[in-house]
Amino acid sequence: MSKNYAVVGATGAVGVEILKVLENRNVDVGQLKLLASPRSAGKTMTFRGKEYTVEALSEDSFHDVQVALFSAGGSISKQYGPVAVSSGCVVVDNSSAFRMDPEVPLVVPEINPEAVKLHKGIIANPNCSTIILLMAVYPIYKLYGVKKIIVSTYQAASGAGAAAMQELEDQAKAHLAGTEVPTNILPHQLAFNVFSHNSSMDPESGYNQEEVKMVKETHKILGDANIAIAPTCVRVSTFRAHAESIHLELREKGDVEKMREALAAFPGVKVLDNRQANRFPMPLEVSGKDDVYVGRVRMDYDDQSGTNVQLFVVGDQLLKGAALNAVQIAELL
Amino acid sequence: MSKNYAVVGATGAVGVEILKVLENRNVDVGQLKLLASPRSAGKTMTFRGKEYTVEALSEDSFHDVQVALFSAGGSISKQYGPVAVSSGCVVVDNSSAFRMDPEVPLVVPEINPEAVKLHKGIIANPNCSTIILLMAVYPIYKLYGVKKIIVSTYQAASGAGAAAMQELEDQAKAHLAGTEVPTNILPHQLAFNVFSHNSSMDPESGYNQEEVKMVKETHKILGDANIAIAPTCVRVSTFRAHAESIHLELREKGDVEKMREALAAFPGVKVLDNRQANRFPMPLEVSGKDDVYVGRVRMDYDDQSGTNVQLFVVGDQLLKGAALNAVQIAELL
């Protein structure tokens, strides 16, 4: 039984990937509506060899649509998500608008697919850094339990959208040419630089929103608020795959070989962990890949307890971090 | 009393900076010898407005030289360091050749200047990542003690030398032009990428040499082998300043304001920690600066013990990470 789909934010970085993922995964798409802001209306996009014209999103957009994939920012989701639901749609929302709503399931299909059943019209797609973190942590969490996660991220420009990816390129060209570096989208020069994630910061705790998301979303997805999480979110000069350096404190003694096996057996995870050849996951190589790549699985240097483990993880921010996870959720319906 | 100096590896990335630092700090340099490989001999370099011709390093290079600053790699240091000492020089060595030799002091002048007195001709300059780590950790270590350090680095191309910095630029240009990206110096594309530090790895522990240096050198400099250190060393697409995301487990409860005050009062450290404006240290801004910049001083998110603190630190790899620290050691003599 094919379903009719709408993609809200079809022309954005994630929207474009959603179309590719729907196509590549042979999702049974009946009618397809591509929705965006009035600015993008009239553009054409190709899906399975057929041209579609992008329409301006409106309250009438969702008639005869069964699944709406939203990726146009939190305020659009808040305004139009409930409209779509009242038109009979199931909404898979890629924004942060509904993630912490207790009525809304927050789902990584490999981890908590059963949560989808509880939906009341809206299912939230987690934040990219959280998805990539949990794809690597969950197989180990199931083996030994996890008391604490300390994670430092190396996040790509794509998390700030297609315009940020373009600006990174423009910045790099300007920097290399010695001309003025544009910072219209990004708050600082990202090309050949690194900066603390620019989401708004809680002045009390000193943690930014991206970091708070990693904590709260992890607790919700795992249904376990006892994991202490200490995140540091950082943007680096890469286009579309996030890396994360992860330290785990396990509840029991861990074994590196068993963890590698559990990771390799987990759907959506690939292990690339070649100590002899010094070959581990890199954002450039993982860009465009569905799987989350895990390497550098090792016990904490000179730790006596055997309960501290470290990992280096890379996932495509636009795929498993966004579009792919959203389409996987739709497939569960 | 002016001293005669030799700079070994004068044409390298660190050598060039050593000359600038000697000039800027008004070090009382009598005669100056610029030494390098036969390939670089005959080049001219300017110091305090005067031209010097680079000479090929030989066993006879150190007559009438009192201080030799070596920065030409470990094998040159091993071969010519003892020659310089037997000619009456004090050697400040920027390579890893002698760092763990129990007869050789390993010195960060703000931290263990007294160790210089114990030298027998050679004083070792620590690894860049270690110096930058300890400049931020030591003021907190003095306040509360430190049980454990978990650190993930964001290391610049400069750590691999001038040729690597040039190759990063060449790689970026090629990537942007869509032409073949050169990897003659770096093992992978670093431009718009991130990779696990390419120093050789111990297949048993899974830690690379850069990480092992951070552990062993920290123990030696602080004279405290009880600190557990779990490092992850990563190269990012930046030219010359390293960033480090640091998690500390303190021996006592810590107070953020007191730590900031101790850091701000410490020579060679600047605090840039503006939560309201989301302004923290960035490699681009710290490039060319003597000081190590510390920001994002905060207690661990949802930690109940009050003993876990996080920092984000940036230091110029070529200055405090290498040339500046070496010249500061020479000033202590």
Side-chain angles (χ1 to χ4, degrees):
Chain A
M1 279 278 295
S2 68
K3 285 174 182 158
N4 298 338
Y5 278 72
V7 178
V8 182
T11 56
V14 176
V16 167
E17 296 297 324
I18 285 174
L19 291 187
K20 287 190 205 159
V21 172
L22 286 169
E23 188 158 335
N24 293 341
R25 291 175 74 85
N26 296 314
V27 176
D28 192 355
V29 178
Q31 290 173 44
L32 177 67
K33 269 198 183 175
L34 303 184
L35 302 167
S37 65
R39 197 165 34 92
S40 294
K43 285 186 186 170
T44 58
M45 297 177 81
T46 305
F47 178 70
R48 290 185 178 149
K50 195 180 144 189
E51 274 214 342
Y52 289 79
T53 302
V54 176
E55 300 169 40
L57 173 65
S58 80
E59 305 238 328
D60 304 322
S61 295
F62 301 97
H63 294 305
D64 203 25
V65 172
Q66 281 84 51
V67 180
L69 299 163
F70 273 67
S71 191
S75 55
I76 295 290
S77 292
K78 273 185 193 149
Q79 190 181 346
Y80 290 97
V83 172
V85 172
S86 65
S87 299
C89 268
V90 178
V91 169
V92 180
D93 183 32
N94 198 44
S95 82
S96 63
F98 301 106
R99 285 182 194 147
M100 296 316 299
D101 184 331
E103 303 275 288
V104 173
L106 183 67
V107 177
V108 181
E110 293 86 348
I111 298 175
N112 62 338
E114 69 291 346
V116 163
K117 291 179 198 146
L118 306 172
H119 83 81
K120 296 174 178 173
I122 300 178
I123 303 160
N125 205 34
N127 184 45
C128 47
S129 340
T130 310
I131 296 174
I132 293 163
L133 173 74
L134 291 185
M135 288 297 286
V137 169
Y138 185 65
I140 297 172
Y141 173 81
K142 278 202 299 181
L143 267 183
Y144 302 120
V146 171
K147 261 165 119 164
K148 181 161 184 172
I149 302 172
I150 297 164
V151 53
S152 297
T153 68
Y154 301 70
Q155 295 185 231
S158 59
M165 294 171 77
Q166 183 59 54
E167 189 164 272
L168 171 59
E169 187 176 330
D170 296 342
Q171 286 184 346
K173 284 177 179 163
H175 183 97
L176 293 167
T179 57
E180 204 191 332
V181 170
T183 53
N184 303 312
I185 310 293
L186 296 160
H188 308 287
Q189 180 177 336
L190 184 57
F192 311 110
N193 198 15
V194 155
F195 58 77
S196 180
H197 196 283
N198 49 302
S199 52
S200 70
M201 179 166 283
D202 171 22
E204 200 56 47
S205 69
Y207 284 82
N208 60 49
Q209 274 309 305
E210 184 81 0
E211 293 163 350
V212 174
K213 284 175 190 172
M214 284 184 102
V215 176
K216 295 196 170 163
E217 294 180 17
T218 295
H219 289 166
K220 181 168 175 172
I221 294 162
L222 298 184
D224 179 354
N226 292 321
I227 305 180
I229 306 171
T232 302
C233 287
V234 177
R235 277 212 200 283
V236 299
S237 185
T238 59
F239 284 103
R240 63 174 281 175
H242 288 354
E244 303 187 7
S245 173
I246 301 171
H247 180 100
L248 299 177
E249 194 181 327
L250 309 175
R251 294 202 176 274
E252 306 168 19
K253 278 195 182 198
D255 176 81
V256 167
E257 210 34 64
K258 279 200 182 126
M259 287 186 269
R260 277 209 201 101
E261 282 166 19
L263 285 160
F266 195 71
V269 170
K270 282 236 168 23
V271 173
L272 173 56
D273 198 15
N274 188 337
R275 292 178 180 178
Q276 272 76 16
N278 225 325
R279 286 286 286 120
F280 308 104
M282 297 191 289
L284 260 188
E285 281 186 356
V286 173
S287 292
K289 300 275 201 322
D290 283 351
D291 290 322
V292 170
Y293 283 68
V294 183
R296 301 216 63 197
V297 184
R298 63 209 195 278
M299 301 313 293
D300 200 338
Y301 194 89
D302 79 6
D303 172 59
Q304 305 302 310
S305 68
T307 58
N308 288 282
V309 60
Q310 308 212 110
L311 317 164
F312 194 74
V313 177
V314 181
D316 187 302
Q317 189 274 329
L318 293 173
L319 289 174
K320 188 58 188 168
L324 172 61
N325 201 73
V327 171
Q328 287 176 305
I329 291 172
E331 289 172 338
L332 289 175
L333 293 170
Chain B
M1 279 279 295
S2 68
K3 286 173 183 159
N4 298 339
Y5 279 71
V7 178
V8 181
T11 57
V14 176
V16 168
E17 296 297 324
I18 286 175
L19 291 187
K20 287 190 205 159
V21 172
L22 286 170
E23 186 158 334
N24 293 340
R25 291 175 74 86
N26 296 314
V27 176
D28 193 355
V29 177
Q31 290 173 45
L32 177 67
K33 270 197 184 177
L34 304 184
L35 303 167
S37 66
R39 196 165 34 89
S40 294
K43 285 187 186 169
T44 58
M45 297 177 80
T46 305
F47 178 71
R48 291 187 177 148
K50 196 181 145 190
E51 275 212 341
Y52 289 79
T53 302
V54 177
E55 299 169 40
L57 174 64
S58 80
E59 305 236 329
D60 303 321
S61 295
F62 301 98
H63 294 305
D64 204 25
V65 172
Q66 281 85 52
V67 181
L69 299 163
F70 273 68
S71 190
S75 56
I76 294 291
S77 292
K78 273 186 192 147
Q79 189 180 347
Y80 290 97
V83 173
V85 172
S86 66
S87 301
C89 269
V90 178
V91 169
V92 180
D93 182 32
N94 198 45
S95 83
S96 63
F98 301 105
R99 286 182 193 146
M100 296 316 298
D101 185 330
E103 303 275 288
V104 173
L106 184 65
V107 177
V108 180
E110 293 86 348
I111 297 175
N112 62 338
E114 69 291 346
V116 163
K117 291 179 200 149
L118 306 171
H119 82 81
K120 296 175 178 172
I122 301 179
I123 303 160
N125 205 34
N127 185 44
C128 48
S129 340
T130 311
I131 296 175
I132 292 164
L133 172 73
L134 292 185
M135 288 297 286
V137 170
Y138 184 66
I140 297 172
Y141 174 81
K142 278 202 300 180
L143 267 183
Y144 302 120
V146 171
K147 261 164 117 164
K148 181 163 184 172
I149 301 172
I150 297 164
V151 54
S152 296
T153 68
Y154 301 71
Q155 294 184 233
S158 58
M165 295 171 78
Q166 183 60 52
E167 189 165 273
L168 171 59
E169 187 177 329
D170 297 342
Q171 287 184 344
K173 284 177 179 164
H175 183 97
L176 293 168
T179 58
E180 205 190 330
V181 170
T183 52
N184 303 312
I185 311 294
L186 296 160
H188 309 287
Q189 180 176 335
L190 184 57
F192 311 111
N193 199 16
V194 155
F195 58 76
S196 180
H197 197 282
N198 50 301
S199 51
S200 69
M201 180 167 282
D202 171 23
E204 200 56 47
S205 68
Y207 285 82
N208 61 48
Q209 274 309 305
E210 184 82 0
E211 293 163 349
V212 173
K213 284 175 191 173
M214 284 184 103
V215 175
K216 295 196 170 163
E217 295 181 16
T218 294
H219 289 166
K220 180 167 175 174
I221 294 164
L222 298 183
D224 178 355
N226 292 320
I227 305 180
I229 306 172
T232 303
C233 288
V234 178
R235 277 212 200 282
V236 299
S237 184
T238 58
F239 284 102
R240 62 173 282 174
H242 287 356
E244 303 186 8
S245 172
I246 301 171
H247 180 100
L248 299 178
E249 195 181 327
L250 309 176
R251 294 202 177 271
E252 306 168 20
K253 279 195 181 196
D255 176 81
V256 167
E257 210 35 62
K258 279 199 183 127
M259 287 185 270
R260 276 208 202 101
E261 282 165 20
L263 285 160
F266 195 70
V269 170
K270 282 236 167 22
V271 173
L272 172 56
D273 198 16
N274 188 337
R275 292 178 179 178
Q276 272 76 16
N278 225 323
R279 285 287 286 120
F280 309 105
M282 297 191 289
L284 259 188
E285 282 187 355
V286 173
S287 293
K289 300 274 202 324
D290 284 350
D291 291 322
V292 170
Y293 284 67
V294 182
R296 302 216 62 197
V297 184
R298 62 209 196 278
M299 300 313 294
D300 199 339
Y301 195 88
D302 78 6
D303 172 59
Q304 306 300 311
S305 68
T307 59
N308 288 281
V309 60
Q310 308 211 108
L311 315 166
F312 194 74
V313 177
V314 181
D316 187 303
Q317 189 273 330
L318 293 174
L319 289 174
K320 188 58 188 168
L324 173 62
N325 200 75
V327 171
Q328 287 177 306
I329 291 172
E331 288 172 338
L332 289 175
L333 293 170

